[in-house]
Amino acid sequence: MNASLKILFIVLFVVIYGSSYSQDWKAYCITDSHNQNQSNTWIDFMKEFELQEVPPQVMAKIACDSKYWMWINGELAVFEGQLKRGPNPHDTYYDQVDITSFLREGNNKIAILTWYFGKDGFSHKSSGQAGLVFECNSINIKTDETWLSRIDPAYENTCAPFPNYRLSESNVRYNAQNGDCEWFQSNGKKNGFQAAKIIGPAESTAWNKLVKRPIPMFKDYGLKGYKNVPVMPFLSKGDTIVCELPYNAQITPYLKIESEAGNIIDIRTDHYFGGGTSNVRAEYVTKDGIQEYESFGWMNGHKVCYYIPEGIKVLDLQYRETGFHTDFTGSFNCNDSFFNSLWKKSTRTLYVTMRDTYMDCPDRERAQWWGDVVIESGETFYSLDTESHSLIRKGILELIKWQRDDSTLFAPIPAGNWDKELPGQMLASIGFYGIWNYYMNTGDQKLVEEVYEGVKRYLNIWKLDENGVLKKREGGWYWGDWGTNVDKDLLVNEWYYLALDGFKRMSELLEKKDEVTETTKRMQDFRKAFNQTFWRGGEYRSYHYTEDTDDRGQALAVVAGLANDDKFAAIFQILEKQRYASPYMEKYVTEALFQMGKVEFGLKRLKERFGPMVNDKNSTTLYEGWGIGKDGFGGGSSNHAWSGGGLTILSQYVCGLYPLTAGWKTIQIKPQLGNLEYASTGNQTVAGWVDVKVSKENNVYIIDTSIPESSEGIVCIPERYKKITLNSSIIWNKRANENSNARFLKSEKGYLYFAVKGGKWHFEAN
C-alpha cells in the first residue's frame, strides 16, 4: 500500500468509525490474510529490519486479543503478554515493554505468536477480532503491511471434553507434524508466511481505545525440574507420569522426547476437574525424532500428569512457573504451628489466585468475584510487596468502569458471558473493607476521586422501606453465602451500612461537605432503624427468616458497628454455638470475636473450623468450602483465597498491626495474643518496613516494633501493668512519665496508648 492509499484508507476509516480512531497511535492493527476469527486461533507474526545503532532506550507498545509471546533475535522477550479484555466493556489493554537489551546493530527480527481466545468467559470479553498492534517509534517499527503473518499450522483443537463455559481459554493441542517451534529463531524459515492484512488503525472499532496495562508484566520463574520424576532418560510403557510441584502454582508444562510421528501425549494437572468441572488441558502430537515442546496455556495444580504412549523415550520433563509480579515480603510467626501453617497456606492461596485479575479460583473460573476480592485485598497488604497493590487498583477501576447505565454494578468483570448483580458482594466492594481499606493501606486519593461518583450512583439506587431499612433488591443473584441458614436480608442490610461508612469516609477525604452531612444522617437513622427492625431480644433476625439463627448475620452486625456493646454477650452465645458461615464469612465471624474481646475463643474457633484444610498434607492451598466436592459448596475448589481471611486476623488483630491514617502514616500496634505466648508479623508498606513482635512470659509483656521514619506509631499496652519501659527508660509507673521518645495519649477500655516516632522500639511492661 503506497502513501496516498494509506492516507485515503485512514480518512475513510475515520469517517466510518469516528472517534474510535486516535492520532496517538501510528501503528495499524494487522492480522493474517486468511484469518476468519475462529476461536482458539494462533497466528505467527514476523518483522525483519536493520538498525544502524540501538538507541539508549527502546520502548514498544503491544496489543492483541487475547495473548502473545514475543521473541527478538531468537531470544524470548515476553512470556505471555497482554491482559484479558477489558478496562471497560468496550476497550482493550496494551503492554509497554522495554526491548532495548534484545536489539543489536545490523539485522534484527521480531517474532510474535498470538493466541486469539475467540470466546467469552467470566474473565474476558472477546472483541471478535484477532490481530496485533506493535509500535516502537524510537526505531520506527510499527505493524503494517510489511509484516509477515500466517495461521500457525501446528495448533489445532482437541476433542471433548472442553473447558467449562466460564473459561475463555481453550485446550491447547500442538501437532508437531504440521509445524515447529523454530520459525521465531533468527534464521527460522518463512514457510507459509505472507504479507499481513491491515484491519484498520490501532484503535479500530473491535478493540476501541487502547489503555495502558496498569499492572506489571507477569513474573517468569524460568524452567525448573519437578520434585519427583523418573531417572532420565527412560522408555515409556504407556504410563501416566505424575510429576509433583513444590506447591500449587500457575505453570506451563515442558517436555523433551524422542518419538515416532503421530503419538499423542496428554498433559493436565491434578486440578483438571478442580471445582467439579472440566478445565484446561493440553495435547502434543509428536513428529519423528528428538523434539521439545512447552505448552503455553497455563494450568495450575500440585501435580502435572503426562500421559506418554508406549515406546516414547523421555529425555526431560520440566515446568515453568509464572504469576503476578510480586514478592512474598510479609511474615507471621507464633508459638502455635497451626496458625503459622494457616498464614502460609493463605499466602500461597492468595498468590495462585492472582494474574490478570484477582480470581476466585485459578482452575474452574479465573473470575474476579468481588466478595473474594475484598478478602484477598485485605490479605495482600500483610503478605506481599507494594507492587501487588496495582492489581487491587485495577480491579476497583474495572468494577466502576463496567457500571451499567442504570447505575448497577456487577461482577465478575471483565466478563463476556456474565451480567448478574450480586447485591451483597457489590455493597461489600464499595464499602469499608473494599475501596476504603485500599485507600487506608495505599494513600491513593486519586483512585478515590476516580471512582467516587460511581460509588455514589450505586448507593443511590438503594431505597428504604417504611421501617427505615432496605427495600429488598434481589439483583441478578440474591446470594449471601454458601451453606445453610443464610439470613440474606439481614446480611445485605449490614453490607449496606458498611458501604455507607466507606462512602462517608470518601466524602470526608474529598471534602464533599453536603454528602458528609447527608450520609452521616443516613447512617444515624439507618442504625436506629436496623436495631429496631432486626434485633429480636437476643439475636438479629430479618422479617421473614424462619431458619436457625445465622452466625454470619450476628458477626457482621458487630463488625459493621451496628451492634451496641450491650448486645455482645447475647451475640457471643450464638457464635459459641452456631457454625453455619462458609470460609468466606468466617473471617468476619472471627473478626467480630476479636472486636468483642473474645480473643481466646476466636483463636479456638479459627483452629476448629479451618483445621481439616490447614492440616491437609496433600494441599498447599485452602478450600472454597469446608470440604472438597459435594461437601465443598459451589463446586468445592481447593484453592479459594477467600478462605485466607485468617491471615488478616493474625496480622491485624493478634499482632495488632493496622494503619490508623492513610498510607501507614500513623500505625496502630494493639496486640491481642489470647492464649498465645508470642507472635510476630511484618511487611513492606508504602511508608516503609513495619514489624512487631509481642510476647508475654513470667508476667513480663514485651513489644518490639519497627516504625518507618516518616510515620508515627500508636502502641497500646494493657492497663493492668504497673510499670512500662521504652528502650529501658520508664514511661509509665502508675502514671505517665516524661520521655522524649514517647508521648502518653490516653487510657481507654483497658489499654494505655503511647505515641512514638519512627524507629526501633522495645517496650516492656510488668
Side-chain angles (χ1 to χ4, degrees):
M1 185 182 292
N2 61 37
S4 60
L5 285 175
K6 282 185 181 178
I7 294 172
L8 177 60
F9 179 83
I10 293 172
V11 170
L12 288 172
F13 194 91
V14 173
V15 169
I16 296 171
Y17 297 113
S19 60
S20 294
Y21 174 69
S22 169
Q23 294 289 343
D24 293 338
W25 286 83
K26 299 179 176 62
Y28 296 96
C29 182
I30 62 173
T31 189
D32 182 75
S33 59
H34 299 98
N35 181 34
Q36 301 299 312
N37 294 321
Q38 294 177 337
S39 63
N40 197 28
T41 296
W42 298 71
I43 306 178
D44 305 329
F45 293 95
M46 186 189 304
K47 173 68 176 179
E48 295 178 321
F49 57 96
E50 296 275 337
L51 283 180
Q52 297 299 318
E53 62 178 1
V54 178
Q57 186 177 48
V58 184
M59 301 298 294
K61 297 190 295 185
I62 310 162
C64 73
D65 184 353
S66 309
K67 294 288 181 179
Y68 73 88
W69 290 257
M70 179 169 69
W71 296 263
I72 299 178
N73 297 322
E75 187 176 354
L76 181 65
V78 173
F79 189 93
E80 193 188 313
Q82 185 66 38
L83 295 174
K84 293 178 176 180
R85 298 183 73 246
N88 55 57
H90 311 290
D91 298 330
T92 304
Y93 289 112
Y94 75 88
D95 294 344
Q96 184 167 291
V97 181
D98 188 340
I99 63 171
T100 313
S101 63
F102 300 97
L103 298 171
R104 63 195 181 197
E105 293 182 2
N107 295 325
N108 286 268
K109 176 180 175 180
I110 296 174
I112 299 176
L113 169 66
T114 65
W115 182 16
Y116 174 61
F117 294 162
K119 58 186 179 117
D120 294 328
F122 279 20
S123 60
H124 174 73
K125 183 175 182 179
S126 179
S127 69
Q129 177 62 65
L132 173 71
V133 168
F134 180 99
E135 181 171 300
C136 191
N137 293 325
S138 59
I139 57 173
N140 196 30
I141 299 296
K142 61 182 183 295
T143 42
D144 56 20
E145 79 283 358
T146 66
W147 283 60
L148 301 178
S149 68
R150 70 175 184 184
I151 304 292
D152 194 301
Y155 285 97
E156 302 173 341
N157 289 307
T158 67
C159 296
F162 304 114
N164 76 84
Y165 71 98
R166 303 171 186 87
L167 296 172
S168 52
E169 295 90 335
S170 296
N171 295 328
V172 177
R173 176 183 167 98
Y174 190 88
N175 190 338
Q177 298 174 109
N178 298 333
D180 58 54
C181 300
E182 307 300 324
W183 64 272
F184 50 76
Q185 299 296 335
S186 295
N187 58 351
K189 297 178 181 179
K190 301 179 183 178
N191 296 343
F193 280 90
Q194 296 180 340
K197 174 184 175 182
I198 292 179
I199 301 170
E203 296 186 321
S204 302
T205 297
W207 296 2
N208 302 308
K209 182 176 175 60
L210 296 179
V211 177
K212 186 177 178 181
R213 180 188 184 117
I215 62 174
M217 302 295 286
F218 300 132
K219 181 178 283 190
D220 178 1
Y221 294 85
L223 286 172
K224 298 179 181 179
Y226 294 101
K227 288 177 62 178
N228 68 316
V229 289
V231 177
M232 308 282 183
F234 68 91
L235 200 63
S236 176
K237 298 179 181 179
D239 299 326
T240 295
I241 311 301
V242 180
C243 304
E244 291 187 19
L245 296 165
Y247 40 70
N248 192 346
Q250 300 171 7
I251 65 95
T252 50
Y254 163 91
L255 57 81
K256 184 176 182 180
I257 59 171
E258 184 175 2
S259 175
E260 296 178 345
N263 285 307
I264 300 176
I265 296 174
D266 180 275
I267 313 172
R268 61 185 72 184
T269 73
D270 58 333
H271 284 227
Y272 176 63
F273 288 108
T277 62
S278 56
N279 300 315
V280 295
R281 60 187 176 89
E283 290 180 356
Y284 178 72
V285 183
T286 62
K287 61 183 179 181
D288 190 48
I290 295 176
Q291 55 213 276
E292 54 186 320
Y293 170 70
E294 181 177 359
S295 181
F296 288 153
W298 71 269
M299 315 169 180
N300 83 283
H302 290 89
K303 300 175 182 178
V304 181
C305 306
Y306 297 79
Y307 170 72
I308 302 179
E310 184 177 2
I312 293 179
K313 188 176 184 180
V314 181
L315 304 176
D316 199 6
L317 299 174
Q318 296 187 58
Y319 71 95
R320 182 193 305 270
E321 181 184 358
T322 56
F324 189 84
H325 204 293
T326 188
D327 290 325
F328 296 87
T329 51
S331 66
F332 173 84
N333 186 49
C334 73
N335 61 286
D336 190 323
S337 61
F338 173 85
F339 296 115
N340 297 335
S341 295
L342 172 61
W343 204 93
K344 184 178 180 180
K345 282 197 172 185
S346 298
T347 305
R348 171 49 51 187
T349 314
L350 174 65
Y351 186 67
V352 83
T353 55
M354 299 168 66
R355 199 170 179 94
D356 294 61
T357 63
Y358 278 103
M359 299 175 278
D360 62 333
C361 58
D363 36 35
R364 183 184 67 217
E365 298 185 28
R366 305 182 176 183
Q368 192 167 230
W369 296 94
W370 261 90
D372 302 66
V373 178
V374 170
I375 298 285
E376 289 170 312
S377 62
E379 299 169 43
T380 298
F381 297 119
Y382 289 105
S383 58
L384 302 175
D385 68 12
T386 55
E387 195 75 78
S388 64
H389 302 175
S390 63
L391 193 61
I392 310 171
R393 190 179 206 280
K394 172 180 180 288
I396 293 171
L397 286 174
E398 287 172 346
L399 177 71
I400 299 302
K401 291 186 177 182
W402 279 73
Q403 188 169 29
R404 293 183 283 222
D405 291 340
D406 65 359
S407 298
T408 55
L409 300 172
F410 70 101
I413 42 86
N417 58 355
W418 178 268
D419 62 358
K420 293 179 174 60
E421 175 198 4
L422 280 72
Q425 289 202 8
M426 295 301 90
L427 289 169
S429 70
I430 65 171
F432 179 86
Y433 286 94
I435 295 173
W436 186 253
N437 194 50
Y438 167 81
Y439 169 70
M440 287 296 291
N441 281 276
T442 64
D444 186 356
Q445 182 172 333
K446 183 179 178 182
L447 183 278
V448 178
E449 293 169 354
E450 288 185 76
V451 303
Y452 180 83
E453 289 300 324
V455 172
K456 181 179 178 180
R457 286 176 56 205
Y458 183 66
L459 271 175
N460 284 339
I461 69 176
W462 290 89
K463 307 300 179 185
L464 305 182
D465 65 14
E466 65 277 7
N467 295 312
V469 296
L470 290 180
K471 288 184 178 179
K472 188 172 182 179
R473 285 188 64 256
E474 293 197 353
W477 183 10
Y478 199 57
W479 183 89
D481 189 22
W482 290 136
T484 60
N485 301 302
V486 186
D487 192 343
K488 297 179 185 178
D489 292 348
L490 175 62
L491 289 171
V492 171
N493 275 269
E494 291 161 344
W495 285 123
Y496 173 72
Y497 188 77
L498 279 165
L500 287 178
D501 188 1
F503 182 69
K504 177 189 171 185
R505 294 167 190 259
M506 292 182 217
S507 300
E508 290 171 337
L509 173 67
L510 303 182
E511 299 181 350
K512 307 279 189 178
K513 295 181 180 179
D514 291 343
E515 282 83 358
V516 172
T517 300
E518 179 186 346
T519 309
T520 301
K521 180 67 163 54
R522 286 169 73 181
M523 291 180 70
Q524 291 171 346
D525 292 345
F526 186 85
R527 191 173 190 272
K528 180 179 179 181
F530 177 88
N531 281 286
Q532 288 176 343
T533 303
F534 293 105
W535 184 251
R536 304 298 177 87
E539 65 178 26
Y540 284 105
R541 179 177 289 267
S542 60
Y543 300 105
H544 308 296
Y545 180 72
T546 59
E547 305 301 320
D548 207 1
T549 304
D550 183 359
D551 53 347
R552 316 164 185 82
Q554 316 310 307
L556 200 58
V558 173
V559 168
L562 286 162
N564 299 320
D565 293 2
D566 60 6
K567 297 181 176 64
F568 285 0
I571 290 173
F572 177 60
Q573 288 182 357
I574 296 168
L575 299 185
E576 279 187 302
K577 181 177 64 173
Q578 309 293 52
R579 299 290 189 276
Y580 296 127
S582 81
Y584 163 52
M585 288 301 296
E586 190 66 27
K587 185 262 185 183
Y588 301 105
V589 174
T590 312
E591 188 161 7
L593 288 165
F594 272 81
Q595 290 185 6
M596 292 189 296
K598 303 298 183 180
V599 177
E600 291 191 9
F601 181 74
L603 291 171
K604 178 183 177 182
R605 178 163 169 149
L606 197 61
K607 183 180 288 191
E608 170 199 318
R609 301 231 73 192
F610 287 91
M613 65 177 87
V614 171
N615 295 325
D616 182 354
K617 302 300 183 184
N618 296 316
S619 178
T620 61
T621 49
L622 302 173
Y623 317 154
E624 177 179 7
W626 298 116
I628 302 174
K630 65 179 182 179
D631 298 322
F633 310 130
S637 82
S638 60
N639 33 220
H640 244 71
W642 77 3
S643 297
L647 183 159
T648 306
I649 298 296
L650 293 169
S651 291
Q652 179 179 332
Y653 285 94
V654 172
C655 294
L657 195 60
Y658 184 73
L660 284 180
T661 58
W664 292 81
K665 291 299 182 183
T666 308
I667 300 166
Q668 176 174 278
I669 298 169
K670 188 180 181 181
Q672 298 181 74
L673 280 181
N675 53 6
L676 294 174
E677 296 174 4
Y678 69 85
S680 64
T681 195
N683 197 22
Q684 187 69 35
T685 73
V686 293
W689 180 260
V690 179
D691 64 39
V692 60
K693 179 179 180 181
V694 57
S695 63
K696 55 182 182 182
E697 185 177 357
N698 298 326
N699 202 36
V700 178
Y701 185 76
I702 298 173
I703 295 177
D704 288 292
T705 185
S706 299
I707 306 293
E709 289 298 325
S710 60
S711 299
E712 179 182 60
I714 307 298
V715 179
C716 310
I717 297 177
E719 200 168 8
R720 63 180 178 270
Y721 297 103
K722 297 179 179 179
K723 185 178 75 171
I724 303 172
T725 62
L726 173 62
N727 292 2
S728 300
S729 297
I730 295 176
I731 60 172
W732 181 267
N733 193 0
K734 295 186 179 180
R735 62 180 177 81
N737 288 49
E738 290 186 11
N739 189 287
S740 59
N741 292 322
R743 186 173 78 258
F744 174 70
L745 297 177
K746 62 181 178 179
S747 171
E748 182 178 274
K749 294 184 177 181
Y751 283 89
L752 302 170
Y753 288 70
F754 298 91
V756 293
K757 298 177 182 178
K760 293 182 178 294
W761 306 107
H762 176 82
F763 289 82
E764 285 194 18
N766 53 41

